[in-house]
Amino acid sequence: MAESGTYLYAIARDAGPAPPDDVPGVAGAPVRTITHDDLVAYVSPVPLDLFGEEPLRRSLEDLDWVGETARAHHRVVEAVARRAPTAPVRLVTIYSAEEQVRDLLHRRHDDLTAVLARVAGRREWGVKVYADPAGSSPAAEEPADTGRPGTAYLRRRQAGLRSRDDAWRAAVAYAEHAHAVLASVAVAAHRHRPQDPQLSGRDDWMVLNGAYLVGEDRDEEFAAAVDALRGQGVEVELTGPWAPYSFTALDLGPAGEEDGR
């Protein structure tokens, strides 16, 4: 039988919520819990011939494998987050034995407790703002006809570039405004780097990729703030609620360092 490691998904407060029976973990393995004091870690076994250091390095170059693993990881995290304050752990965090996870809960107890207190009763929402460069570039006046086609083309080209630059500056300024408005409703806010167009699948500009930690009693107020930002020549996309991925960053160190591998 192949050796197994312990895949860690998330850490939650209290030993109350049971593992989600109807949500399998990575590689279809059942999810179980490891408890220590008032903390609970959600884990599942993974074979080290697939999730050991070398095979994992190769697998991470396979986008299909990464996507499937990320979806399984996300399903477990979201199922746990619906039941208790939860700190998601980064993708493919693997320990060599359950005892190392229990030791982590012991050594980082205070840090983890502080993180979980910060997100209790709050949820993460994502807001992306897109601007269409083509929709605003033709604003320049038609250049005068000089009778020389080459000169007219260059003038139209220069006017188009000026218009595109103006559109970019206006879109960026609007994104700053939108972020400030949404942050005023949230407990905490974070701006992620705009996604690569290859990932977003869109040709327009993503000028805001924000995450907002919002009290559950202010969800409607936040949604109304998002709606008020629409219809200004940009597209505003709201997603969530999510587990608080953007607000529970805690450097647990590489799993290999934690367990001494």
Side-chain angles (χ1 to χ4, degrees):
M1 178 180 294
E3 290 185 273
S4 64
T6 300
Y7 187 108
L8 176 61
Y9 299 88
I11 297 169
R13 194 168 63 184
D14 302 327
D21 294 334
D22 56 341
V23 181
V26 168
V31 179
R32 61 183 301 273
T33 58
I34 298 173
T35 60
H36 180 79
D37 289 341
D38 55 350
L39 297 176
V40 55
Y42 290 80
V43 303
S44 68
V46 287
L48 290 181
D49 59 350
L50 297 177
F51 287 83
E53 186 173 349
E54 284 301 323
L56 187 59
R57 183 177 294 115
R58 292 193 295 271
S59 295
L60 289 173
E61 297 174 358
D62 181 344
L63 294 182
D64 291 337
W65 184 93
V66 172
E68 181 180 350
T69 302
R71 285 189 290 275
H73 180 98
H74 179 69
R75 284 195 297 268
V76 174
V77 170
E78 290 296 330
V80 174
R82 284 194 291 272
R83 305 176 183 197
T86 299
V89 175
R90 70 181 180 183
L91 190 67
V92 292
T93 298
I94 301 167
Y95 292 81
S96 59
E98 293 187 2
E99 189 55 40
Q100 276 71 49
V101 177
R102 190 171 287 105
D103 180 63
L104 169 70
L105 299 181
H106 171 70
R107 288 186 296 101
R108 304 299 300 273
H109 176 273
D110 292 349
D111 294 333
L112 292 165
T113 299
V115 166
L116 294 171
R118 173 182 168 86
V119 300
R122 297 160 177 167
R123 304 191 290 186
E124 178 174 332
W125 295 88
V127 177
K128 294 182 176 67
V129 175
Y130 299 92
D132 181 2
S136 49
S137 58
E141 295 181 0
E142 187 69 20
D145 185 1
T146 63
R148 290 181 293 179
T151 301
Y153 168 78
L154 289 174
R155 288 184 175 179
R156 285 196 298 271
R157 176 67 174 163
Q158 289 170 348
L161 291 174
R162 284 196 298 272
S163 177
R164 186 181 176 89
D165 287 345
D166 290 344
W168 170 254
R169 283 191 288 270
V172 169
Y174 190 76
E176 295 288 342
H177 164 72
H179 181 67
V181 168
L182 298 175
S184 71
V185 185
V187 174
H190 179 75
R191 290 186 71 165
H192 294 290
R193 180 178 301 179
Q195 289 179 337
D196 187 296
Q198 289 185 330
L199 292 177
S200 67
R202 303 180 59 133
D203 296 328
D204 45 7
W205 294 324
M206 181 187 292
V207 290
L208 176 63
N209 183 14
Y212 304 89
L213 186 66
V214 179
E216 292 178 358
D217 59 342
R218 301 190 73 178
D219 281 352
E220 291 185 5
E221 183 181 355
F222 186 79
V226 172
D227 285 341
L229 293 169
R230 294 191 165 108
Q232 305 294 323
V234 296
E235 181 178 338
V236 181
E237 179 182 279
L238 171 67
T239 62
W242 305 106
Y245 286 93
S246 302
F247 303 97
T248 55
L250 189 63
D251 184 9
L252 299 179
E257 292 180 7
E258 291 285 354
D259 63 17
R261 281 186 290 160

